[in-house]
Amino acid sequence: LSVLVFYTVSGGPFGVEESVRSGGSCLALFGFISMFCCWSIPEAWMTAELGAAIPCASGSVAWVEKAWGPFAAWMTGYLSWISGVTDNALYPALFLAYVEQAMSVEGPKSDTIFNPWLRFTFQAGFVCILAFINWIGLRAVGDVSLGSCALTMSPFAVLSLVGMTQCQPSRWFELPSAGVLKGVRWRPLLNNLFWNLNSFDSVASFSTDVESHQIYVHSICLGLVLIFAGYVFPLAIVLGATDASQDDWVDGYFVKVASEIAGPWLGRWLVVASAVSNVSLFQADFSTAILQMQGMAERGNIPKILSLK
């Protein structure tokens, strides 16, 4: 359950490049730490408390219905569904960005490797295959999560260990050359931080499948630890071990950094880890969406014909 929490919210430091590109090293690192303390911890504790008190597959929809009635509950479920669709659409594109980084020989900007039709075909096929796998066996999502987590985070553990010898902490405090007011793109920075550290409330959909409230609460707490360690430690080591400029941090840049720090073998390992992570992220989010739809149908928030059995 802790690993499912990890994948529902995070899945590893894939996708944090936008924070560095928008805010620079100091604001990106400080942003992840402060956002985790100010947003993730309170949201996780809210989910642990309300999920244990009101165990329901529809999760936060049930909480809102008790507080403000059926219309607000329906709106919560609808907006949650929209958020899930938007979020899941990112994972095929993010995986393709890491593949392009691994295949690129001219630097980080490698948008021309795949033509638009090939990109569309790959991403559409990615979505259809994973949705079908989830549909035929939701229980397999949990069974595979432990191995997926080990494979996903192992290259970052190696990267952190190797990068420690090259890390210069003074680089953590570097601000954009144009200054905080002109050199920071605040909207994409805050949006990326929120995207990477949000969605603990989705874990409430698993509250009906645990043996006790104690297990549920402890799993969320352990998931918090996994998420913090998975973001902050690799990001801090890489920022301290490379002198890359702010603009170099395009999507998938971790592959290039890993190749520079430890060798091309680690970069290729990160691509494989990215594939596994994106599969697990898609599956975890899809599972919570299915559970929430079923819970909403059972509570009458949506017609039962729309629920996914």
Side-chain angles (χ1 to χ4, degrees):
L1 182 57
S2 298
V3 174
L4 285 176
V5 173
F6 173 76
Y7 277 119
T8 301
V9 178
S10 169
F14 305 101
V16 306
E17 293 90 346
E18 178 62 42
S19 291
V20 184
R21 184 166 70 250
S22 299
S25 300
C26 182
L27 290 181
L29 190 57
F30 175 77
F32 269 98
I33 296 173
S34 58
M35 191 76 170
F36 180 83
C37 296
C38 296
W39 179 264
S40 297
I41 292 178
E43 187 187 25
W45 277 108
M46 175 199 72
T47 302
E49 181 177 359
L50 292 177
I54 312 173
C56 179
S58 61
S60 57
V61 175
W63 315 339
V64 174
E65 185 176 27
K66 276 188 172 291
W68 291 295
F71 176 76
W74 173 82
M75 183 59 69
T76 299
Y78 174 74
L79 293 177
S80 177
W81 179 76
I82 291 294
S83 174
V85 169
T86 306
D87 190 41
N88 264 0
L90 296 172
Y91 301 132
L94 189 59
F95 169 63
L96 196 59
Y98 273 85
V99 173
E100 289 178 327
Q101 284 294 319
M103 295 174 63
S104 175
V105 295
E106 298 179 354
K109 296 181 179 180
S110 53
D111 295 336
T112 59
I113 290 181
F114 297 111
N115 65 60
W117 281 108
L118 187 59
R119 294 175 67 89
F120 173 81
T121 302
F122 171 83
Q123 294 179 68
F126 185 98
V127 171
C128 292
I129 292 172
L130 294 185
F132 178 74
I133 293 174
N134 202 305
W135 176 70
I136 62 175
L138 292 177
R139 184 171 295 180
V141 176
D143 294 338
V144 174
S145 292
L146 283 173
S148 299
C149 185
L151 183 57
T152 297
M153 298 309 298
S154 54
F156 288 102
V158 174
L159 178 62
S160 299
L161 291 173
V162 176
M164 281 182 183
T165 60
Q166 307 173 34
C167 184
Q168 299 181 23
S170 60
R171 291 173 175 166
W172 298 340
F173 305 101
E174 293 179 356
L175 294 172
S177 56
V180 174
L181 295 180
K182 294 184 178 180
V184 177
R185 297 182 296 148
W186 289 103
R187 184 182 60 81
L189 171 63
L190 296 175
N191 183 64
N192 187 258
L193 292 173
F194 182 76
W195 174 65
N196 278 292
L197 293 167
N198 186 42
S199 297
F200 278 93
D201 59 302
S202 299
V203 180
S205 298
F206 298 122
S207 60
T208 58
D209 297 319
V210 295
E211 296 178 354
S212 68
H213 297 330
Q214 187 177 25
I215 292 176
Y216 181 70
V217 173
H218 287 177
S219 298
I220 291 180
C221 292
L222 181 55
L224 271 171
V225 175
L226 292 174
I227 291 165
F228 181 82
Y231 277 134
V232 174
F233 292 144
L235 182 60
I237 293 298
V238 168
L239 288 175
T242 179
D243 57 355
S245 67
Q246 184 177 332
D247 293 333
D248 288 337
W249 282 82
V250 297
D251 292 339
Y253 191 65
F254 261 111
V255 173
K256 182 175 178 60
V257 174
S259 299
E260 292 176 351
I261 292 176
W265 61 272
L266 187 57
R268 289 190 289 269
W269 191 1
L270 271 178
V271 173
V272 175
S274 170
V276 175
S277 177
N278 281 282
V279 169
S280 298
L281 283 164
F282 187 97
Q283 298 284 50
D285 281 0
F286 203 82
S287 296
T288 58
I290 289 176
L291 289 170
Q292 191 172 65
M293 290 282 283
Q294 289 179 348
M296 290 175 66
E298 292 168 359
R299 299 179 69 87
N301 299 118
I302 60 172
K304 290 188 177 181
I305 193 172
L306 297 179
S307 65
L308 301 175
K309 297 299 183 182

